[in-house]
């Protein structure tokens, strides 16, 4: 029986500064939803969106790390992992297997201080299957958690911590802040991921107690958004969830803002940092507090843009950093203001703090103008719409409001609160929460550079893991749990049938070639009043010389630093007034102009894009600012294991005589030597409509899109562009192990692969099909099942073919626990060697089902539609290539897969690159069987 049911239809009064005036334009956007509650307290929210044949299902529990006990931290996040593994009716790995069969986006989840959610987008014919599976999480899960399962998942979580915290620069910063901002008994004192010590101490009884207290219907919200029959869905929700018993009452926790009586300053010598970083954190307000809205405007006005006080002082005047980040972190119980500056190498952080104080003084003197406030609000409108571009995004918003504001319809009040912010409010919250108030300051400095920390800072208490071979708990995750089945009023053991068959329609693509050779294609998309576009000019890094890499990168960055008739600040202001975003950046194979704007402001936005492209400013001062920022980026990359791995792998694949083997942003020597004349020469020789395409998706028809390109058509003259012929790499004759030493690394980053197929090769898509079960299918893949699910060696691993028109490669990438570097590579080697002979009919059926059914999701978002346009335009593929590939998959046999694997996945002809701690791992790598490892540094 359903106790309460109510249907709402929200009309959101949104806003943006008009392109021609400072008046505020009103536009309405509706989010219809239905909410009801089951007898057991489960909140259910439906949202209908029939634009694509998909549904997003999300289960959100009002439990995060704030509900944990001291000494048992990390439990909420641990459950995010455990709930995907097994349940009584789906069986071990059943959710992942089902997700693959039904063509889902993949079961996923996330944990915050205050909530944990589980979500997936699937073709609409699989909705009942998803409701069945989500109910099994709540009612038929906990019996399946055994000691071996818990032991294995502890290792996975610890690997995630090593990857996201321990093995990257500044990874311990949040830990140091939390410990000093909040007292020991405050639920925000500890980090969401918890501590390794607490995870090791967790017992099976602890885990079961946590689940039974918090994973109950009366503490959970189920959201379903997409194309479905709400009456039928309601029947399914009742059927599968109704008999799950209500749990103990869950009371809301009291708001508890952070409180400081004095400035607290701590420092940490970071093994991975190459430049000093200062973070200053003030206690503020919890989410949805009336002052949170004005604070958001304050942060943006202080740090974002050329004329923001922090940018003016730190970047333009003092020249000690490339920028500042200022943002609010507002949670259920408390909030904070984070101000972070990553200074240039060797810069004392006392000088950074002094510059920040100068910027604050400037804000106190000047405040925020009405025009700046209007620009910020215009950007917030665009950002709001972007958050609603997928059914999953809409579902997330509804659940968030339901849990933390008590009403899915709070979005209306949320918008009112944003609209109500005044310049006086912004100044008031600055005075109330920032000016002269105590804060926590953390100085993270490179090893041996304590002198760069703030004067008087004390050493932060940071716990760092030691690398020990064989230090981890042994387990056998294959052991089947024995338990008394949880009773049900009906047989839940059989997976529900599919719903009615669905047909996926390829969006209609229009194309036109302008007289100057510029190729234009588009898709009209009326779901939200936005337009997204990508202007792609072929070339990028490929048009550089070996002795001066980084020219294209600097040119791309400089293009938005003003125009002939606009300064950097004036150009930024013009873009922001439209609620638009325009970015210019280089890639290996092109220079791209990426834009996102309100549909009503499209023509005005394109006028600015035209001005950027045809009338560069060539500002020497801005070039020097960008040069220093790039040099600082190079310094920072030198200690980031994942970046090191990518650059070293490219050098090994392409060699020193190929521009693709050079660092994309350049070297310190090349960046220092690049002149404005180099940028002008690149622009004059290579920026041409004859090698350019523009792709547009949005709430405009073809005529409207083309009308915005009149000046690009008439003012951009074509020129011939000649592309150099860089060497095409070949796979190595024999496998070789390479090792790049990062002393003290807590993980080893792996890159294993070889040159392979281009995107236009006839075997490219069949090879992708072959790779699905190997490493392309996430939790359906053998690499993930063996190294993560079976052994707990890694947080994530995958393999794939990455091809362009001219080159391609096959690569396996992962980050593994340092003390199992050899064992992980041995496991990968065996999987690769055995794959052709062990690929089965069942594997093929899973692959076939995923590849075909997942096409229901192929065109859901504007980003997906842009990807369709680019693939058709770049590679000459048919507009219906997605549907045509279904026939390729249907016609493939096990023999075809085995032949492709034997031809393109040859472990004995691959590069095996390890980036890790040589002192403990280098010598062991010879046991892989490919000879002594070659040390690269």
């Amino acid at each position: 029986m359903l106790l309460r049911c109510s249907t709402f239809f929200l009309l959101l009064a949104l806003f943006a500064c008009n392109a021609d005036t400072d008046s505020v334009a009103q536009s309405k956007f509706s989010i219809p939803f239905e909410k009801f509650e089951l007898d057991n307290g489960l909140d259910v929210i439906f949202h209908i969106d029939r634009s694509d044949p998909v549904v997003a299902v999300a289960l959100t529990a009002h439990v995060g790390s704030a509900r944990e006990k001291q000494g048992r931290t990390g439990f909420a996040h641990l459950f995010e992992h455990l709930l995907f593994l097994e349940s009584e009716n789906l069986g071990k790995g059943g959710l992942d297997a089902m997700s693959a069969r039904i063509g889902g986006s993949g079961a996923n989840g996330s944990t915050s201080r205050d909530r944990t959610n589980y979500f997936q987008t699937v073709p609409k014919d699989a909705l009942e299957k998803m409701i069945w599976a989500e109910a099994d999480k709540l009612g038929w899960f906990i019996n399946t958690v055994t000691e071996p399962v818990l032991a294995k998942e502890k290792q996975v979580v610890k690997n995630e911590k090593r990857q996201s915290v321990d093995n990257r620069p500044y990874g311990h910063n949040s830990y140091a802040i939390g410990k000093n901002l909040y007292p020991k008994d405050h639920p925000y004192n500890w980090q969401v991921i918890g501590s390794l010590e607490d995870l090791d101490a967790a017992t099976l009884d602890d885990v079961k107690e946590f689940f039974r207290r918090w994973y109950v219907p009366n503490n959970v919200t189920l959201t379903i958004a997409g194309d479905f029959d709400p009456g039928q869905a309601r029947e399914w929700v009742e059927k599968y969830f109704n008999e799950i018993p209500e749990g103990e009452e869950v009371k809301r926790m009291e708001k508890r803002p952070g409180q400081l009586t004095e400035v607290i300053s701590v420092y940490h010598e970071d093994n991975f940092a190459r430049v000093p970083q200062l973070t200053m954190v003030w206690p503020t307000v919890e989410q949805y507090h009336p002052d949170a809205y004005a604070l958001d405007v304050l942060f943006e006005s202080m740090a974002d843009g050329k004329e923001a006080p922090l940018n003016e002082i730190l970047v333009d005047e003092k020249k000690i950093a490339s920028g500042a980040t200022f943002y609010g972190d507002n949670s259920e119980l408390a909030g904070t203001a984070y101000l972070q500056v990553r200074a240039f190498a060797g810069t004392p952080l006392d000088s950074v703090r002094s510059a920040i104080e100068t910027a604050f003084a400037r804000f106190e003197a000047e405040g925020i103008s009405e025009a700046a406030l209007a620009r910020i609000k215009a950007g917030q409108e665009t950002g709001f719409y972007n958050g609603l571009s997928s059914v999953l995004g809409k579902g997330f918003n509804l659940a968030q409001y339901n849990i933390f504001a008590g009403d899915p319809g709070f979005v209306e009040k949320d918008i009112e609160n944003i609209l109500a912010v005044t310049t006086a409010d912004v100044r008031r919250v600055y005075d109330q929460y920032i000016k002269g108030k105590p804060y926590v300051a953390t100085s993270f400095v490179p090893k041996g550079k304590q002198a760069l920390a703030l004067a008087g800072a004390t050493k932060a208490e940071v716990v760092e893991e030691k690398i020990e071979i064989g230090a981890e708990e042994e387990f056998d995750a294959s052991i089947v749990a024995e338990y008394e089945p949880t009773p049900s009023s009906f047989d839940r053991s059989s997976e529900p049938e599919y719903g009615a068959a669905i047909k996926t329609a390829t969006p209609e693509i229009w194309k036109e070639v302008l007289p100057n050779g510029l190729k234009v294609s588009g898709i009209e998309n009326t779901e939200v009043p936005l337009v997204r576009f990508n202007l792609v000019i072929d070339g990028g890094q490929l048009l550089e010389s070996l002795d001066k890499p980084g020219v294209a990168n600097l040119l791309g960055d400089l293009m938005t630093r003003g125009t002939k008739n606009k300064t950097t600040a004036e150009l930024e202001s013009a873009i922001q007034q439209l609620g638009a975003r325009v970015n210019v950046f280089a890639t290996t194979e092109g220079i791209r102009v990426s834009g996102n704007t309100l549909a009503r402001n499209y023509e005005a936005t394109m006028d600015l894009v035209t001005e950027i492209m045809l009338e560069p400013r060539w500002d020497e001062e801005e070039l020097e600012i960008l040069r220093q920022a790039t040099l600082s980026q190079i310094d920072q990359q030198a200690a980031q294991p994942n970046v090191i791995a990518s650059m070293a792998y490219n050098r090994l694949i392409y060699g020193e005589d190929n521009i693709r083997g050079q660092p994309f942003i350049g070297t310190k020597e090349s960046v220092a030597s690049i002149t404005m004349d180099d940028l002008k020469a690149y622009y004059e020789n290579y920026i041409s409509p004859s090698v350019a395409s523009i792709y547009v998706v949005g709430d405009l028809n073809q005529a409207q899109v083309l009308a915005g390109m009149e000046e690009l058509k008439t003012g951009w003259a074509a020129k011939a562009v000649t592309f150099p012929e860089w060497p095409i790499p070949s796979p190595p004759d024999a496998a070789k192990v390479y090792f790049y030493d990062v002393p003290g690394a807590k993980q080893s980053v792996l890159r294993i692969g070889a040159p392979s197929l281009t995107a236009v090769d006839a075997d490219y898509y069949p090879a992708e099909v072959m790779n699905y079960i190997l490493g392309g299918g996430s939790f359906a893949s053998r690499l993930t099942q063996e190294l993560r699910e079976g052994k707990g060696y890694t947080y994530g691993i995958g393999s794939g073919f990455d091809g362009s028109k001219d080159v391609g490669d096959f690569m396996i990438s992962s980050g593994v626990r340092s003390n199992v570097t050899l064992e992980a590579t041995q496991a990968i080697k065996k999987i690769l060697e055995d794959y052709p002979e062990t690929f089965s009919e069942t594997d093929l059926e899973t692959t076939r089902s995923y590849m075909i059914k997942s096409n229901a999701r192929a065109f859901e978002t504007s980003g997906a539609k842009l990807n369709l346009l680019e693939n058709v335009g770049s590679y000459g593929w048919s507009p219906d290539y997605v549907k045509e590939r279904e026939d390729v998959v249907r016609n493939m046999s096990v023999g075809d897969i085995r032949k492709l694997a034997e031809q393109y996945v040859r472990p004995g002809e691959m590069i095996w690159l390890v980036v890790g701690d040589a002192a403990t791992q280098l010598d062991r790598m010879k046991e892989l069987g490919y000879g002594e490892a070659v040390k690269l540094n």
Side-chain angles (χ1 to χ4, degrees):
M1 175 181 174
L2 300 177
L3 291 181
R4 295 191 295 275
C5 176
S6 49
T7 301
F8 299 84
F9 193 80
L10 301 184
L11 294 178
L12 308 182
L14 298 173
F15 48 91
C17 183
N18 187 277
D20 301 314
T21 73
D22 289 334
S23 64
V24 173
Q26 300 292 324
S27 62
K28 292 185 177 182
F29 187 82
S30 62
I31 301 182
F33 72 89
E34 175 187 355
K35 177 183 174 181
F36 55 90
E37 182 182 330
L38 301 187
D39 279 342
N40 56 16
L42 179 74
D43 278 350
V44 185
I45 303 170
F46 288 167
H47 165 69
I48 305 299
D49 178 343
R50 304 207 183 277
S51 57
D52 294 276
V54 298
V55 287
V57 180
L59 195 73
T60 306
H62 190 179
V63 56
S65 58
R67 301 281 192 181
E68 295 164 352
K69 300 176 182 177
Q70 294 181 50
R72 289 295 182 268
T73 64
F75 272 38
H77 178 252
L78 179 63
F79 265 98
E80 180 206 320
H81 286 247
L82 289 171
L83 276 162
F84 293 117
L85 301 180
E86 183 177 2
S87 61
E88 293 184 31
N89 298 295
L90 276 79
K92 186 180 290 290
L95 179 59
D96 291 326
M98 186 189 80
S99 298
R101 288 195 309 275
I102 66 179
S105 59
N108 209 339
S110 68
T111 309
S112 74
R113 291 164 163 172
D114 308 307
R115 63 101 187 103
T116 308
N117 64 358
Y118 306 86
F119 52 88
Q120 183 166 196
T121 302
V122 300
K124 70 176 186 177
D125 64 352
L127 176 57
E128 185 181 4
K129 294 174 184 284
M130 282 301 300
I131 294 172
W132 167 70
E134 295 307 292
D136 234 41
K137 281 192 176 88
L138 275 190
W140 289 266
F141 156 76
I142 195 61
N143 285 339
T144 66
V145 181
T146 63
E147 294 285 4
V149 168
L150 180 60
K152 187 272 295 182
E153 209 57 32
K154 286 180 186 179
Q155 298 308 324
V156 173
V157 172
K158 288 194 283 185
N159 282 322
E160 181 179 357
K161 182 177 183 293
R162 294 178 186 112
Q163 179 173 308
S164 61
V165 177
D166 301 337
N167 212 50
R168 70 179 184 90
Y170 319 105
H172 294 286
N173 192 36
S174 293
Y175 176 89
I177 291 166
K179 291 298 179 187
N180 287 283
L181 182 61
Y182 299 109
K184 190 174 182 179
D185 66 340
H186 194 290
Y188 293 170
N189 172 271
W190 52 88
Q191 298 302 293
V192 171
I193 202 162
S195 73
L196 299 184
E197 182 181 8
D198 286 355
L199 286 170
D200 282 334
T203 68
L204 190 59
D205 286 341
D206 291 332
V207 169
K208 292 190 174 185
E209 176 193 8
F210 188 89
F211 179 83
R212 288 170 177 144
R213 177 67 185 94
W214 305 114
Y215 278 86
V216 290
N218 47 302
N219 197 41
V220 170
T221 296
L222 173 69
T223 53
I224 301 174
D227 183 9
F228 64 97
D229 177 346
Q232 178 63 80
R234 188 164 159 175
E235 290 180 15
W236 287 333
V237 170
E238 286 187 270
K239 174 181 177 180
Y240 293 108
F241 280 93
N242 250 348
E243 64 179 330
I244 302 172
E246 182 177 5
E248 182 182 338
E249 180 185 3
V250 177
K251 295 181 179 180
R252 289 191 175 272
M253 301 176 73
E254 293 294 324
K255 309 298 183 190
R256 192 178 172 187
Q259 294 183 344
L260 295 171
T261 57
E262 61 181 357
V263 172
I264 298 174
S265 179
V266 297
Y267 76 90
H268 175 63
E269 293 185 47
D270 192 318
N271 185 53
F272 298 98
R274 290 297 179 270
V275 300
Q277 174 180 284
L278 175 64
T279 307
M280 301 166 70
V281 183
W282 290 263
T284 57
V285 297
E286 71 277 3
Q287 62 187 350
Y288 306 136
H289 185 286
D291 286 348
Y293 303 89
L295 282 164
D296 282 343
V297 174
L298 169 69
F299 303 145
E300 188 167 345
S301 68
M302 285 288 295
D304 293 356
K306 186 70 175 175
E307 294 184 318
L310 287 165
N311 187 83
E312 286 181 329
I313 304 299
L314 290 160
V315 180
D316 293 343
E317 297 177 20
K318 301 294 185 182
K319 296 180 172 36
I320 55 177
S322 60
T325 304
F326 206 3
Y327 64 95
D329 182 12
N330 305 107
S331 300
E332 183 179 14
L333 309 181
T336 50
Y338 272 75
L339 173 53
Q340 193 167 88
V341 178
R342 198 165 292 176
F344 293 146
T347 303
L349 293 179
D350 279 312
S351 67
V352 174
R353 179 163 63 177
S354 176
I356 290 170
E357 290 167 351
T358 301
F360 283 176
R362 184 166 297 180
F363 175 80
E364 291 168 19
E366 299 176 356
I368 178 175
S369 68
E370 292 291 348
L373 177 63
R375 288 197 303 269
I376 290 170
K377 288 183 177 182
Q380 288 173 326
E381 178 183 6
T382 303
F384 173 82
Y385 285 132
N386 284 329
L388 299 175
S389 63
S390 69
V391 289
L392 187 59
K394 294 169 188 173
F396 281 165
N397 275 317
L398 291 169
Q400 172 82 8
Y401 288 131
N402 185 64
I403 292 171
F404 299 114
D407 175 16
F410 184 77
V411 62
E412 195 168 13
K413 179 64 176 174
D414 211 11
I415 295 298
E416 288 177 8
N417 290 341
I418 295 171
L419 278 168
V421 173
T422 67
T423 56
D425 291 330
V426 177
R427 179 56 189 263
R428 175 182 57 78
V429 295
Y430 168 78
D431 290 340
Q432 185 171 345
Y433 300 104
I434 307 297
K435 182 181 178 180
K437 300 299 186 290
Y439 53 85
V440 172
T442 60
S443 303
F444 271 58
V445 297
K447 283 279 189 184
K449 302 286 186 179
Q450 181 189 339
L452 298 178
L454 292 180
T458 59
K459 186 174 177 57
E461 295 182 10
V462 172
V463 179
E464 297 198 77
E465 182 186 22
K466 294 181 180 179
I467 303 170
E468 298 178 26
I469 303 299
E472 305 295 342
E473 179 182 353
E474 295 292 329
F475 58 85
D476 181 358
S478 66
I479 296 175
V480 178
E482 295 183 2
Y483 52 82
E484 185 70 26
T486 304
S488 175
S489 61
F490 64 96
D491 181 9
R492 293 175 176 262
S493 62
S494 297
E495 181 178 320
E497 297 295 322
Y498 284 107
I502 60 178
K503 291 184 178 181
T504 303
T506 301
E508 184 177 346
I509 296 174
W510 58 262
K511 298 180 182 181
E512 183 141 341
V513 179
L514 303 186
N516 60 359
L518 178 63
K519 296 176 282 294
V520 188
S521 60
I523 295 172
E524 186 174 357
N525 178 41
T526 59
E527 293 176 41
V528 289
L530 291 178
V531 175
R532 287 184 61 181
F533 58 86
N534 287 336
L535 169 59
V536 183
I537 306 163
D538 292 343
Q541 184 189 26
L542 296 182
L543 293 169
E544 296 178 342
S545 62
L546 286 171
D547 62 342
K548 200 172 280 191
V551 171
N553 179 62
L554 273 177
L555 175 61
D557 288 344
L558 189 65
M559 294 291 283
T560 51
R561 298 300 178 105
T563 65
K564 180 180 179 181
N565 298 309
K566 289 184 176 68
T567 64
T568 303
E570 289 168 344
L571 177 60
E572 281 184 353
S573 177
I575 293 171
Q576 291 169 355
Q577 283 176 1
L578 302 173
R581 297 173 187 171
V582 178
N583 297 310
V584 183
F585 57 96
T587 67
T588 301
E589 299 193 341
I591 288 182
R592 303 173 70 90
V593 183
S594 177
N596 182 9
T597 187
L598 298 162
R600 66 176 181 269
N601 293 336
Y602 164 75
E603 285 200 30
T605 302
M606 287 306 300
D607 287 344
L608 293 174
V609 170
T610 302
E611 190 174 346
I612 289 168
M613 295 304 303
L614 304 188
E615 300 178 341
R617 188 169 183 82
W618 306 123
D619 190 313
E620 289 280 2
E621 184 177 340
E622 292 291 347
L623 175 58
E624 289 310 309
I625 291 171
L626 291 170
R627 189 193 315 278
Q628 292 306 313
T630 305
L631 291 171
S632 181
Q633 186 180 358
I634 292 171
D635 282 335
Q636 294 173 57
Q637 288 180 345
Q640 297 176 16
N642 281 296
V643 177
I644 291 169
S646 295
M647 291 196 297
Y649 179 77
N650 282 341
R651 283 195 299 273
L652 292 169
I653 286 282
Y654 295 109
E656 298 293 332
D657 61 344
N658 192 321
I659 195 66
R660 295 177 186 271
Q662 297 296 316
F664 172 73
I665 64 173
T667 64
K668 297 193 80 167
E669 294 74 21
S670 70
V671 171
S673 69
I674 292 171
T675 67
M676 186 67 82
D677 286 341
D678 293 324
L679 304 189
K680 289 181 177 179
Y682 189 107
Y683 175 86
E684 292 296 335
N685 292 328
Y686 305 134
I687 303 299
S688 171
S690 62
V691 291
S693 302
I694 186 165
Y695 308 101
V696 186
V697 172
D699 193 12
L700 297 173
N701 60 36
Q702 180 177 354
Q704 292 170 312
V705 170
L706 293 174
M709 297 183 187
E710 278 301 312
E711 289 194 41
L712 271 181
K713 179 173 68 175
T714 59
W716 193 8
K719 66 193 76 168
V721 178
T722 302
F723 289 82
E725 294 186 6
W726 297 107
I728 303 299
S730 301
D733 294 330
K736 191 71 179 176
V737 180
Y738 298 88
F739 203 107
Y740 193 106
D741 183 24
V742 178
K746 303 303 186 287
Q747 275 196 325
S748 292
V749 177
L750 307 180
R751 297 288 186 269
I752 302 163
S756 191
L757 299 161
T758 69
V760 294
D761 193 292
D763 276 349
Y764 187 75
Y765 181 68
E768 288 186 317
V769 176
M770 174 272 293
N771 178 65
Y772 180 77
I773 292 294
L774 175 60
S778 186
F779 286 89
S781 74
R782 293 195 185 171
L783 288 170
T784 297
Q785 285 298 316
E786 178 72 9
L787 275 83
R788 171 172 165 154
E789 300 302 283
K791 298 182 180 296
Y793 287 169
T794 181
Y795 174 57
I797 185 170
S799 64
F801 291 87
D802 182 20
S804 67
K805 285 182 285 189
D806 301 317
V807 296
D809 74 291
F810 169 79
M811 185 177 71
I812 298 169
S813 61
S814 185
V816 301
R817 201 169 76 223
S818 281
N819 59 6
V820 293
T821 303
L822 171 64
E823 291 78 4
T825 52
Q826 287 173 329
I828 293 168
K829 179 182 178 182
K830 181 170 175 53
I831 290 169
L832 296 180
E833 289 174 339
D834 294 347
Y835 189 64
E837 290 304 314
T838 57
F839 190 91
S840 67
E841 288 287 352
T842 300
D843 292 330
L844 179 59
E845 188 52 44
T846 297
T847 302
R848 189 177 285 144
S849 183
Y850 174 82
M851 291 290 189
I852 293 173
K853 286 188 170 294
S854 63
N855 286 340
R857 300 183 288 106
F859 315 117
E860 185 201 355
T861 65
S862 58
K865 293 179 176 73
L866 272 176
N867 187 59
L868 169 68
L869 289 175
E870 287 205 40
N871 284 339
V872 171
S874 297
Y875 305 129
W877 295 345
S878 159
D880 284 324
Y881 76 87
V882 172
K883 300 298 292 181
E884 291 167 359
R885 284 178 168 183
E886 293 182 4
D887 291 331
V888 174
V889 180
R890 288 190 184 98
N891 294 327
M892 289 182 73
S893 67
V894 169
D896 294 331
I897 298 290
R898 290 176 175 175
K899 182 179 178 181
L900 288 163
E902 289 166 353
Q903 186 171 358
Y904 299 116
V905 181
R906 298 181 175 181
E909 298 175 11
M910 288 184 181
I911 291 163
W912 295 70
L913 172 64
V914 180
V915 177
D917 182 61
T920 59
Q921 305 305 314
L922 176 61
D923 289 342
R924 301 182 71 220
M925 291 309 299
K926 60 178 175 289
E927 297 178 41
L928 184 60
Y930 295 135
E932 295 280 348
V934 177
K935 194 175 179 186
L936 296 176
N937 66 322

